[in-house]
mmCIF file of all heavy atoms in Angstrom:
data_model
loop_
_atom_site.group_PDB
_atom_site.id
_atom_site.type_symbol
_atom_site.label_atom_id
_atom_site.label_comp_id
_atom_site.label_asym_id
_atom_site.label_seq_id
_atom_site.Cartn_x
_atom_site.Cartn_y
_atom_site.Cartn_z
ATOM 1 N N THR A 3 0.812 -1.193 -0.022
ATOM 2 C CA THR A 3 0.054 0.011 -0.026
ATOM 3 C C THR A 3 0.849 1.245 -0.007
ATOM 4 O O THR A 3 1.725 1.384 0.799
ATOM 5 C CB THR A 3 -0.876 0.001 1.284
ATOM 6 O OG1 THR A 3 -1.584 -1.215 1.281
ATOM 7 C CG2 THR A 3 -1.849 1.224 1.184
ATOM 8 N N ASN A 4 0.690 2.168 -0.916
ATOM 9 C CA ASN A 4 1.515 3.361 -1.040
ATOM 10 C C ASN A 4 1.290 4.196 0.211
ATOM 11 O O ASN A 4 0.283 4.422 0.724
ATOM 12 C CB ASN A 4 1.088 4.198 -2.261
ATOM 13 C CG ASN A 4 1.525 3.507 -3.566
ATOM 14 O OD1 ASN A 4 2.491 2.681 -3.568
ATOM 15 N ND2 ASN A 4 0.814 3.722 -4.683
ATOM 16 N N CYS A 5 2.465 4.819 0.626
ATOM 17 C CA CYS A 5 2.432 5.755 1.758
ATOM 18 C C CYS A 5 2.093 7.113 1.200
ATOM 19 O O CYS A 5 2.395 7.565 0.120
ATOM 20 C CB CYS A 5 3.774 5.766 2.328
ATOM 21 S SG CYS A 5 4.366 4.309 3.160
ATOM 22 N N ILE A 6 1.392 7.945 2.048
ATOM 23 C CA ILE A 6 1.223 9.333 1.860
ATOM 24 C C ILE A 6 2.072 9.979 2.905
ATOM 25 O O ILE A 6 1.671 10.029 4.090
ATOM 26 C CB ILE A 6 -0.193 9.797 1.878
ATOM 27 C CG1 ILE A 6 -1.047 9.016 0.779
ATOM 28 C CG2 ILE A 6 -0.329 11.226 1.680
ATOM 29 C CD1 ILE A 6 -2.451 9.396 0.889
ATOM 30 N N LEU A 7 3.223 10.547 2.570
ATOM 31 C CA LEU A 7 4.163 11.070 3.588
ATOM 32 C C LEU A 7 3.666 12.453 4.028
ATOM 33 O O LEU A 7 3.178 13.302 3.291
ATOM 34 C CB LEU A 7 5.542 11.258 3.008
ATOM 35 C CG LEU A 7 6.270 9.844 2.625
ATOM 36 C CD1 LEU A 7 7.615 10.231 2.091
ATOM 37 C CD2 LEU A 7 6.418 9.049 3.916
ATOM 38 N N ALA A 8 3.738 12.713 5.329
ATOM 39 C CA ALA A 8 3.388 14.028 5.886
ATOM 40 C C ALA A 8 4.447 14.984 5.540
ATOM 41 O O ALA A 8 5.555 14.657 5.061
ATOM 42 C CB ALA A 8 3.276 13.932 7.473
ATOM 43 N N ALA A 9 4.038 16.253 5.642
ATOM 44 C CA ALA A 9 4.985 17.339 5.200
ATOM 45 C C ALA A 9 6.255 17.287 6.041
ATOM 46 O O ALA A 9 7.265 17.803 5.581
ATOM 47 C CB ALA A 9 4.345 18.682 5.392
ATOM 48 N N THR A 10 6.258 16.757 7.230
ATOM 49 C CA THR A 10 7.485 16.677 7.955
ATOM 50 C C THR A 10 8.348 15.575 7.576
ATOM 51 O O THR A 10 9.410 15.421 8.148
ATOM 52 C CB THR A 10 7.076 16.528 9.461
ATOM 53 O OG1 THR A 10 6.265 15.360 9.632
ATOM 54 C CG2 THR A 10 6.222 17.729 9.969
ATOM 55 N N TRP A 11 7.857 14.640 6.763
ATOM 56 C CA TRP A 11 8.601 13.428 6.291
ATOM 57 C C TRP A 11 8.817 12.503 7.435
ATOM 58 O O TRP A 11 9.683 11.699 7.348
ATOM 59 C CB TRP A 11 9.960 13.812 5.629
ATOM 60 C CG TRP A 11 9.824 14.515 4.374
ATOM 61 C CD1 TRP A 11 9.706 15.853 4.166
ATOM 62 C CD2 TRP A 11 9.692 13.898 3.072
ATOM 63 N NE1 TRP A 11 9.532 16.140 2.820
ATOM 64 C CE2 TRP A 11 9.581 14.951 2.121
ATOM 65 C CE3 TRP A 11 9.830 12.616 2.609
ATOM 66 C CZ2 TRP A 11 9.511 14.745 0.758
ATOM 67 C CZ3 TRP A 11 9.664 12.422 1.304
ATOM 68 C CH2 TRP A 11 9.497 13.483 0.353
ATOM 69 N N LEU A 12 8.048 12.557 8.466
ATOM 70 C CA LEU A 12 8.125 11.732 9.587
ATOM 71 C C LEU A 12 7.268 10.489 9.529
ATOM 72 O O LEU A 12 7.343 9.521 10.322
ATOM 73 C CB LEU A 12 7.916 12.438 10.879
ATOM 74 C CG LEU A 12 8.944 13.542 11.183
ATOM 75 C CD1 LEU A 12 8.537 14.264 12.482
ATOM 76 C CD2 LEU A 12 10.368 13.005 11.257
ATOM 77 N N ALA A 13 6.197 10.488 8.638
ATOM 78 C CA ALA A 13 5.268 9.416 8.581
ATOM 79 C C ALA A 13 5.818 8.208 7.926
ATOM 80 O O ALA A 13 6.643 8.354 6.906
ATOM 81 C CB ALA A 13 3.972 9.893 7.857
ATOM 82 N N GLY A 14 5.401 7.052 8.314
ATOM 83 C CA GLY A 14 5.803 5.794 7.557
ATOM 84 C C GLY A 14 4.664 4.896 7.440
ATOM 85 O O GLY A 14 3.541 5.331 7.871
ATOM 86 N N CYS A 15 4.778 3.750 6.855
ATOM 87 C CA CYS A 15 3.691 2.801 6.713
ATOM 88 C C CYS A 15 4.141 1.416 6.461
ATOM 89 O O CYS A 15 5.051 1.170 5.849
ATOM 90 C CB CYS A 15 2.786 3.271 5.554
ATOM 91 S SG CYS A 15 3.409 2.970 3.879
ATOM 92 N N SER A 16 3.396 0.480 7.141
ATOM 93 C CA SER A 16 3.434 -0.907 6.915
ATOM 94 C C SER A 16 4.819 -1.472 6.789
ATOM 95 O O SER A 16 5.131 -2.352 5.972
ATOM 96 C CB SER A 16 2.618 -1.240 5.513
ATOM 97 O OG SER A 16 1.376 -0.810 5.624
ATOM 98 N N GLY A 17 5.755 -1.028 7.615
ATOM 99 C CA GLY A 17 7.090 -1.549 7.673
ATOM 100 C C GLY A 17 7.953 -1.102 6.491
ATOM 101 O O GLY A 17 9.105 -1.554 6.341
ATOM 102 N N GLN A 18 7.502 -0.261 5.569
ATOM 103 C CA GLN A 18 8.267 0.191 4.420
ATOM 104 C C GLN A 18 9.127 1.366 4.882
ATOM 105 O O GLN A 18 8.757 2.327 5.623
ATOM 106 C CB GLN A 18 7.348 0.660 3.326
ATOM 107 C CG GLN A 18 6.550 -0.524 2.717
ATOM 108 C CD GLN A 18 7.455 -1.591 2.098
ATOM 109 O OE1 GLN A 18 8.247 -1.247 1.207
ATOM 110 N NE2 GLN A 18 7.247 -2.834 2.534
ATOM 111 N N ASP A 19 10.391 1.353 4.348
ATOM 112 C CA ASP A 19 11.356 2.417 4.651
ATOM 113 C C ASP A 19 11.353 3.466 3.563
ATOM 114 O O ASP A 19 11.001 3.177 2.413
ATOM 115 C CB ASP A 19 12.777 1.810 4.892
ATOM 116 C CG ASP A 19 12.732 0.808 5.976
ATOM 117 O OD1 ASP A 19 12.560 1.161 7.135
ATOM 118 O OD2 ASP A 19 13.034 -0.391 5.689
ATOM 119 N N GLN A 20 11.913 4.624 3.873
ATOM 120 C CA GLN A 20 11.963 5.665 2.851
ATOM 121 C C GLN A 20 13.333 5.451 2.132
ATOM 122 O O GLN A 20 14.360 5.431 2.698
ATOM 123 C CB GLN A 20 11.956 7.041 3.499
ATOM 124 C CG GLN A 20 12.084 8.183 2.583
ATOM 125 C CD GLN A 20 10.848 8.349 1.669
ATOM 126 O OE1 GLN A 20 9.760 7.940 2.064
ATOM 127 N NE2 GLN A 20 11.041 8.836 0.477
ATOM 128 N N ALA A 21 13.275 5.352 0.809
ATOM 129 C CA ALA A 21 14.464 5.190 -0.025
ATOM 130 C C ALA A 21 15.291 6.469 -0.067
ATOM 131 O O ALA A 21 14.691 7.541 -0.019
ATOM 132 C CB ALA A 21 14.085 4.815 -1.434
ATOM 133 N N THR A 22 16.590 6.360 0.025
ATOM 134 C CA THR A 22 17.426 7.470 -0.072
ATOM 135 C C THR A 22 17.809 7.789 -1.494
ATOM 136 O O THR A 22 17.523 6.954 -2.364
ATOM 137 C CB THR A 22 18.696 7.306 0.664
ATOM 138 O OG1 THR A 22 19.491 6.204 0.032
ATOM 139 C CG2 THR A 22 18.506 6.874 2.193
ATOM 140 N N GLU A 23 18.482 8.942 -1.784
ATOM 141 C CA GLU A 23 18.828 9.195 -3.154
ATOM 142 C C GLU A 23 19.799 8.177 -3.615
ATOM 143 O O GLU A 23 19.803 7.736 -4.796
ATOM 144 C CB GLU A 23 19.504 10.641 -3.213
ATOM 145 C CG GLU A 23 19.937 11.003 -4.604
ATOM 146 C CD GLU A 23 20.440 12.429 -4.754
ATOM 147 O OE1 GLU A 23 20.317 13.169 -3.783
ATOM 148 O OE2 GLU A 23 21.018 12.771 -5.807
ATOM 149 N N ALA A 24 20.717 7.648 -2.737
ATOM 150 C CA ALA A 24 21.688 6.613 -3.059
ATOM 151 C C ALA A 24 20.930 5.335 -3.512
ATOM 152 O O ALA A 24 21.297 4.610 -4.389
ATOM 153 C CB ALA A 24 22.598 6.332 -1.935
ATOM 154 N N ASP A 25 19.833 5.033 -2.816
ATOM 155 C CA ASP A 25 19.086 3.832 -3.142
ATOM 156 C C ASP A 25 18.418 3.979 -4.557
ATOM 157 O O ASP A 25 18.440 3.035 -5.318
ATOM 158 C CB ASP A 25 17.860 3.648 -2.183
ATOM 159 C CG ASP A 25 18.386 3.187 -0.777
ATOM 160 O OD1 ASP A 25 19.376 2.392 -0.697
ATOM 161 O OD2 ASP A 25 17.767 3.589 0.315
ATOM 162 N N TYR A 26 17.940 5.204 -4.874
ATOM 163 C CA TYR A 26 17.445 5.394 -6.254
ATOM 164 C C TYR A 26 18.534 5.183 -7.282
ATOM 165 O O TYR A 26 18.340 4.536 -8.332
ATOM 166 C CB TYR A 26 16.800 6.797 -6.359
ATOM 167 C CG TYR A 26 15.373 6.966 -5.714
ATOM 168 C CD1 TYR A 26 15.256 7.561 -4.489
ATOM 169 C CD2 TYR A 26 14.323 6.445 -6.399
ATOM 170 C CE1 TYR A 26 14.008 7.619 -3.935
ATOM 171 C CE2 TYR A 26 13.023 6.578 -5.865
ATOM 172 C CZ TYR A 26 12.917 7.192 -4.652
ATOM 173 O OH TYR A 26 11.607 7.300 -4.027
ATOM 174 N N ASP A 27 19.676 5.692 -7.062
ATOM 175 C CA ASP A 27 20.749 5.552 -8.050
ATOM 176 C C ASP A 27 21.158 4.088 -8.152
ATOM 177 O O ASP A 27 21.427 3.671 -9.261
ATOM 178 C CB ASP A 27 21.982 6.389 -7.460
ATOM 179 C CG ASP A 27 21.797 7.828 -7.488
ATOM 180 O OD1 ASP A 27 20.831 8.337 -8.213
ATOM 181 O OD2 ASP A 27 22.588 8.576 -6.879
ATOM 182 N N ASP A 28 21.221 3.365 -6.997
ATOM 183 C CA ASP A 28 21.619 1.978 -7.093
ATOM 184 C C ASP A 28 20.523 1.158 -7.812
ATOM 185 O O ASP A 28 20.915 0.239 -8.571
ATOM 186 C CB ASP A 28 21.784 1.416 -5.756
ATOM 187 C CG ASP A 28 23.097 2.103 -5.061
ATOM 188 O OD1 ASP A 28 23.894 2.719 -5.756
ATOM 189 O OD2 ASP A 28 23.186 1.961 -3.784
ATOM 190 N N VAL A 29 19.269 1.316 -7.485
ATOM 191 C CA VAL A 29 18.214 0.574 -8.184
ATOM 192 C C VAL A 29 18.287 0.894 -9.637
ATOM 193 O O VAL A 29 18.046 -0.014 -10.463
ATOM 194 C CB VAL A 29 16.828 0.906 -7.569
ATOM 195 C CG1 VAL A 29 15.743 0.323 -8.492
ATOM 196 C CG2 VAL A 29 16.798 0.251 -6.106
#
C-alpha cells in the first residue's frame, strides 16, 4: 500500500522504509 508522507517526512507505513537518493541511484 503506497504511503502518503506528511509534510514533516516523519510518517511511515506498513514496515516500508524511505528510500534515499543513493538507493534510487543503485536501483
Side-chain angles (χ1 to χ4, degrees):
T3 303
N4 291 331
C5 294
I6 301 177
L7 294 177
T10 59
W11 291 89
L12 296 177
C15 73
S16 303
Q18 294 297 304
D19 301 294
Q20 181 68 28
T22 66
E23 182 174 351
D25 290 324
Y26 281 101
D27 292 344
D28 292 344
V29 169

